[in-house]
């Protein structure tokens, strides 16, 4: 039996940012259970396990908020009033230690933060009644950098982009080659890739790039081993390594096998172990030492976790108790005992960082105004390096997901531990700042997966279904200020993935700070009106516009109805196949009719239900018309899913599947499923014709 929420528990939850209800649709409100709210509060360190505990916690929280002068982190947008400082009692003295080392002493007021440099400063406020508060003061530009003009680019999952030089999966050398070619030959402005975060080792490794061990450090599996300078000086015979790499590559490109990430990493690790024995030259050693000093404890923790995982496995919660604490004496001893392994993993991080920077450099040298767009996953694996090193910032016993809605009646549990908003604020958002700063080292732009997580996340207590969760709010003002600050320092663009259910006000807040949204053609309809396809002039300008994403059918699959047939073969349909086919065909027909009315598609170019009833030429014409439509929108960035350029009909990821479908393991292929290596992609007439459609689009 569900216990209803009491008034005091609801008040306590609200004071800690825990929502006691949510709206899966505008006309429906669902109240969270008392048990869910109680367990979510417990994950925030609040005891609400009974009426007396609730009353005591409520009184303590109300007293804390009543007596404090300032929240732990204060945000001031440069050029505007700083309301938290203006609201302080008259006569309050402020002492500000800036990030740049300057000391300022001023009186509280609307202009107290005027003239302060951008950064995260230390603030001390002393009120006339003697109360004192210490806080972090974030001073950020009012908006993010604007994308440099209108641009189009390519979207690709890097592992799927194999060249005839790769070792069985796409690598950073391939990324640099693609960017250099696309910038110079196609006039592309960017290349967007999947998250390249470090994975959790295992047997087999989880191939999903969205459940990483660390978001802070990249995965060395993406290294082009031959591009490591020490490769030329390896004493051991490297020919045998290259021959084995060729066999891995040929298995995928020539024999139709799936990408085997574990086999690729095993071979690369063997090669990198050999290279680690090659002494670094004086200049290389100095550069490595600088990297170690710059990355500091964060890198040491990451490399220590990697070394310990080699001994004890990739789930730190199963390690000997003393090693579960990164600051314990046992961990310190183990770090010293494994010093060579810690150094090895630190060196891998350095090598990968250098090749990521080289890829961005290649993109910019090819004339790309943006360059490489990297992807930030919404969270990390609970057993991985970040969750171990940053334990105090993660909410124990909970995971992130989504509540039930019209698209998923059971809700979703993503298995990712959420950051605690209270501890983030107390630290001045230090781990978040370090994360962003690390990514912006080599990114011309950053895509933030599930950008709504800057505002709130659905927390699910361990052992409970997704229905038994609650939304927890984050200080979106602070999260956005830190994001704007770090992106502005790097001169980078930010794209938020804001698809699906978005609470009112979120898109407006993101737009105000210059965060671009994500618009996918098939979802752009007049939902407030008759639900018809949204004409191009009605699209928002501040977005990345695409025809599809890595989680959706390719454009050819949608036009032909192949996406329905695939789900039918896998037993994933929840309604009769005939109903699904008819609905998909009607949806496609509506869009094709609009394309025809706008003169973007020849009336005889394709069948009314999509290209499945026509030939390959009709299908290609319809794919081009879809992108011609995107070119008519005011979108500042337009992305072409690279597999669309060769007619690939397979999704890279099919949500709702695990072993039924080879998610994250498919190379880019043509319409017949034959893998297409990078060298053939760059000579594909179909790809060039598709991009030419965007080159001819009217300027934004």
């Amino acid at each position: 039996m569900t216990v209803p929420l009491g008034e005091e528990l609801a008040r306590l939850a609200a004071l800690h940012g825990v929502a006691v209800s949510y709206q899966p649709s505008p006309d429906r409100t669902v109240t969270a259970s008392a048990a869910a709210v109680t367990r979510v509060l417990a994950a925030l360190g609040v005891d609400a396990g009974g009426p007396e505990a609730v009353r005591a916690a409520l009184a303590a929280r109300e007293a804390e908020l009543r007596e404090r002068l300032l929240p732990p982190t204060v945000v001031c947008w440069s050029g505007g009033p700083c309301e938290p400082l203006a609201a302080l009692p008259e006569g309050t003295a402020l002492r500000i230690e800036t990030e740049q080392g300057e000391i300022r002493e001023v009186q509280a007021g609307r202009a107290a933060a005027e003239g302060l440099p951008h950064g995260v400063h230390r603030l001390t406020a002393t009120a006339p009644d003697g109360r004192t508060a210490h806080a972090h003061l974030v001073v950020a530009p009012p908006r993010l950098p604007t994308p440099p003009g209108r641009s189009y680019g390519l979207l690709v999952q890097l592992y799927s982009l194999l060249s005839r030089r790769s070792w069985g999966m796409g690598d950073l050398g391939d990324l640099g080659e693609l960017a250099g070619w696309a910038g110079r030959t196609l006039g592309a402005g960017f290349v967007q890739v999947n998250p390249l975060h470090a994975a959790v080792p295992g047997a087999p490794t989880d191939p999903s790039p969205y459940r990483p061990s660390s978001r802070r450090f990249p995965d060395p599996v993406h290294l082009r081993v031959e591009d490591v300078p020490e490769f030329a000086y390896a004493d051991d015979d490297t020919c045998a390594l290259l021959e084995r790499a060729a066999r891995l590559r040929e298995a995928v490109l020539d024999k139709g096998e799936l990408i085997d990430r574990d086999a690729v990493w095993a071979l690369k690790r063997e090669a990198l172990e050999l290279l680690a024995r090659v002494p670094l030259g004086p200049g290389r050693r100095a550069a490595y030492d600088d990297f170690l000093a710059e990355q500091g404890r964060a890198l040491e923790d990451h490399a220590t976790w990697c070394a310990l995982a080699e001994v004890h496995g990739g789930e730190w919660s199963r390690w000997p108790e003393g090693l579960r604490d990164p600051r314990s004496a046992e961990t310190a001893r183990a770090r010293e005992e494994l010093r060579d392994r810690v150094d090895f993993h630190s060196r891998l991080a350095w090598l990968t960082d250098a090749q990521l920077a080289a890829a961005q450099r290649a993109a910019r040298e090819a004339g790309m105004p943006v360059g490489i767009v990297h992807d930030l996953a919404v969270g990390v694996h609970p057993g991985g390096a970040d969750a171990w090193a940053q334990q105090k910032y993660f909410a124990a016993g909970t995971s992130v997901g989504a509540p039930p809605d019209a698209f998923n009646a059971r809700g979703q549990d993503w298995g990712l531990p959420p950051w605690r908003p209270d501890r983030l604020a107390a630290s001045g958002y230090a781990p978040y700042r370090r994360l962003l700063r690390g990514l912006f080292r080599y990114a011309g732009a950053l895509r933030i997966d599930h950008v709504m997580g800057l505002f709130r996340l659905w927390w699910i207590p361990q052992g409970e279904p997704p229905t038994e969760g609650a939304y927890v709010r984050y200080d979106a003002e602070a999260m956005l200020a830190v994001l704007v600050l770090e992106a502005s320092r790097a001169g980078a663009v930010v794209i938020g993935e804001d698809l699906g259910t978005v609470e009112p006000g979120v898109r407006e807040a993101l737009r105000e700070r210059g965060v671009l949204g994500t618009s996918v053609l098939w979802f752009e309809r007049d939902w407030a009106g008759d639900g018809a396809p949204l004409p191009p002039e009605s699209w928002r300008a501040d977005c990345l516009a695409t025809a599809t994403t890595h989680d959706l059918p390719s454009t050819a699959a949608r036009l032909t109805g192949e996406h329905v047939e695939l789900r039918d073969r896998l037993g994933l349909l929840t309604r009769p196949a005939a109903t699904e086919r008819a609905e998909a065909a009607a949806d496609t027909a509506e869009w094709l009719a609009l394309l025809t009315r706008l003169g973007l598609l020849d009336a005889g170019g394709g069948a009314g239900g999509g290209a499945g009833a026509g030939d390959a030429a009709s299908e290609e014409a319809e794919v081009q018309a879809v992108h011609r439509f995107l070119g008519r929108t005011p979108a500042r960035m337009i992305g072409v899913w690279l597999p669309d350029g060769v007619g690939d009909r397979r999704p890279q990821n099919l949500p709702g599947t695990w072993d039924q479908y080879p998610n994250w393991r498919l190379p880019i292929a043509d319409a017949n499923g034959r893998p297409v290596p990078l060298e053939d992609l760059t000579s594909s007439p179909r790809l060039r014709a598709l991009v030419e459609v965007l080159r001819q689009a009217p300027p934004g």
Side-chain angles (χ1 to χ4, degrees):
M1 180 175 131
T2 301
V3 179
L5 279 167
E7 180 185 347
E8 290 181 324
L9 179 59
R11 283 167 52 203
L12 178 63
L15 292 179
H16 285 279
V18 179
V20 298
S21 65
Y22 70 96
Q23 287 188 293
S25 59
D27 59 347
R28 182 167 170 254
T29 299
V30 176
T31 301
S33 71
V37 171
T38 298
R39 289 193 62 184
V40 168
L41 283 170
L44 287 165
V46 180
D47 181 5
E52 290 300 323
V54 168
R55 279 191 284 274
L58 182 59
R61 182 62 171 169
E62 288 176 337
E64 175 194 349
L65 295 175
R66 185 170 57 249
E67 294 168 8
R68 78 179 187 186
L69 281 176
L70 290 170
T73 293
V74 174
V75 171
C76 294
W77 301 97
S78 61
C82 190
E83 298 298 340
L85 299 186
L88 288 168
E90 186 176 350
T92 298
L94 303 179
R95 186 178 191 272
I96 302 169
E97 302 172 46
T98 71
E99 192 179 278
Q100 294 77 12
E102 181 185 357
I103 304 294
R104 296 195 185 187
E105 295 187 353
V106 296
Q107 292 291 310
R110 296 185 68 82
E114 194 173 291
L116 282 175
H118 296 153
V120 181
H121 315 305
R122 291 294 300 167
L123 169 66
T124 301
T126 304
D129 61 7
R131 286 181 297 158
T132 299
H134 301 281
H136 302 271
L137 175 61
V138 182
V139 179
R143 283 180 60 83
L144 281 159
T146 301
R150 194 182 196 214
S151 62
Y152 54 87
L154 304 175
L155 317 178
V156 64
Q157 301 283 289
L158 180 57
Y159 59 83
S160 72
L161 181 72
L162 282 76
S163 72
R164 292 290 181 187
R165 294 181 177 178
S166 59
W167 288 27
M169 61 183 282
D171 60 35
L172 292 170
D174 296 325
L175 178 58
E177 292 284 355
L178 177 68
W181 170 78
R184 289 185 169 88
T185 305
L186 302 181
F190 61 91
V191 173
Q192 178 180 304
V193 295
N194 54 286
L196 304 183
H197 310 318
V200 177
T205 302
D206 183 350
S208 171
Y210 290 93
R211 202 164 180 248
S213 170
S214 173
R215 297 188 296 174
R216 173 65 185 80
F217 293 100
D219 199 314
V221 75
H222 300 112
L223 282 169
R224 170 69 63 85
V225 175
E226 303 97 304
D227 287 353
V228 176
E230 286 69 41
F231 186 82
Y233 305 102
D235 292 334
D236 298 76
D237 183 7
T238 56
C239 291
L241 288 170
L242 295 176
E243 288 173 2
R244 290 163 62 193
R247 288 197 291 272
L248 284 175
R249 176 176 63 245
E250 290 161 3
V252 178
L253 292 178
D254 301 331
K255 298 179 181 178
E257 295 184 14
L258 297 174
I259 293 169
D260 187 341
R261 185 192 184 284
D262 291 334
V264 173
W265 175 234
L267 183 58
K268 288 191 177 184
R269 184 178 58 208
E270 182 180 338
L272 292 164
E273 296 276 8
L274 295 177
L275 302 191
R277 296 202 288 266
V278 178
L280 296 174
R284 294 273 290 164
R285 167 54 65 181
Y288 179 42
D289 288 344
D290 283 351
F291 182 78
L292 292 175
E294 182 181 12
Q295 301 304 313
R297 175 179 279 184
L299 176 58
E300 185 175 59
D301 284 344
H302 175 72
T304 299
W305 182 91
C306 292
L308 289 170
E310 291 178 335
V311 179
H312 301 288
E315 290 273 356
W316 63 267
S317 61
R318 300 177 184 174
W319 293 355
E321 187 172 354
L323 299 179
R324 298 174 198 170
D325 178 0
R327 303 290 166 254
S328 71
E330 291 90 338
T331 298
R333 282 194 297 271
R335 182 182 292 116
E336 287 306 311
E337 292 168 359
L338 298 169
R339 178 52 59 187
D340 288 348
R341 301 309 299 164
V342 173
D343 182 71
F344 175 69
H345 290 289
S346 297
R347 188 182 292 204
L348 295 188
W350 172 56
L351 295 175
T352 313
D353 181 87
Q355 290 196 8
L356 284 161
Q360 172 64 359
R361 190 162 55 249
R364 298 304 292 269
E365 289 174 354
M368 286 188 170
V370 175
I372 309 300
V373 181
H374 284 278
D375 197 348
L376 175 61
V378 70
V380 295
H381 192 287
D386 284 0
W388 176 74
Q390 302 173 19
Q391 289 176 52
K392 69 178 182 180
Y393 295 112
F394 287 99
T398 60
S399 61
V400 173
D405 57 23
F407 302 101
N408 194 322
R410 298 177 182 175
Q412 302 172 57
D413 186 342
W414 304 331
L416 310 169
W419 264 338
R420 282 185 55 161
D422 55 336
R423 291 186 175 171
L424 279 180
S427 73
Y429 294 83
Y432 179 48
R433 284 187 278 134
R434 288 193 293 264
L435 169 61
L436 293 173
R437 197 168 298 176
L439 291 167
F440 284 130
R441 286 171 61 88
Y442 41 73
L446 184 65
R447 173 192 180 270
I448 299 181
D449 190 43
H450 192 71
V451 72
M452 296 80 79
L454 300 181
F455 296 76
R456 66 177 185 176
L457 284 172
W458 183 255
W459 288 22
I460 305 164
Q462 190 172 26
E464 297 294 338
T467 51
E468 284 298 300
Y471 272 117
V472 176
R473 290 214 164 270
Y474 292 75
D475 185 344
E477 185 92 343
M479 298 288 277
L480 282 172
V482 171
L483 176 62
V484 170
L485 173 65
E486 296 298 339
S488 297
R489 285 172 161 167
V493 175
V494 176
I495 303 160
E497 185 274 295
D498 57 351
L499 302 173
T501 302
V502 182
E503 66 175 323
V506 167
R507 288 195 175 104
E508 293 77 7
L510 293 170
R511 184 171 60 247
E512 180 185 3
R513 299 304 172 193
V515 178
L516 302 184
T518 301
S519 293
V520 177
L521 180 131
W522 311 99
F523 302 153
E524 291 296 310
R525 289 176 171 271
D526 181 13
W527 300 113
D530 58 5
L534 203 62
E537 66 273 11
S538 298
W539 284 42
R540 54 181 170 172
D542 297 325
C543 76
L544 166 65
T546 71
T548 190
T549 74
H550 60 268
D551 280 336
L552 296 172
S554 70
T555 306
R558 191 176 288 273
L559 289 168
T560 60
E562 172 60 26
H563 64 303
V564 177
E565 301 308 320
L566 173 61
R567 295 182 66 83
D568 186 28
R569 288 196 299 273
L570 296 177
L572 299 176
L573 298 180
T574 57
R575 297 182 298 171
T579 302
E580 296 276 0
R581 290 190 192 100
E583 187 173 293
D587 180 81
T588 300
E590 272 195 288
W591 279 103
L592 292 177
L594 175 59
L595 298 177
T596 302
R597 287 198 303 273
L598 294 174
L600 305 176
L601 177 66
D602 184 353
D615 56 19
S618 296
E619 174 194 303
E620 185 175 352
E622 291 173 2
V623 173
Q624 289 182 11
V626 164
H627 289 81
R628 198 171 286 118
F629 178 95
L630 294 177
R632 286 273 190 97
T633 72
R636 299 192 66 88
M637 299 175 72
I638 301 173
V640 176
W641 178 236
L642 189 55
D644 276 347
V646 288
D648 199 342
R649 297 189 180 183
R650 307 163 310 166
Q652 282 293 318
N653 179 50
L654 188 59
T657 63
W658 177 245
D659 56 1
Q660 309 101 307
Y661 185 80
N663 295 318
W664 318 112
R665 288 174 287 169
L666 294 170
I668 295 174
D670 64 17
N672 297 312
R674 289 190 297 264
V676 183
L678 173 60
E679 293 82 355
D680 293 352
L681 271 167
T682 57
S683 60
S684 166
R686 177 168 177 162
L687 175 58
R688 288 180 178 243
L690 180 58
V691 175
E692 187 61 30
V693 163
L694 295 178
R695 296 185 76 161
Q696 296 175 0

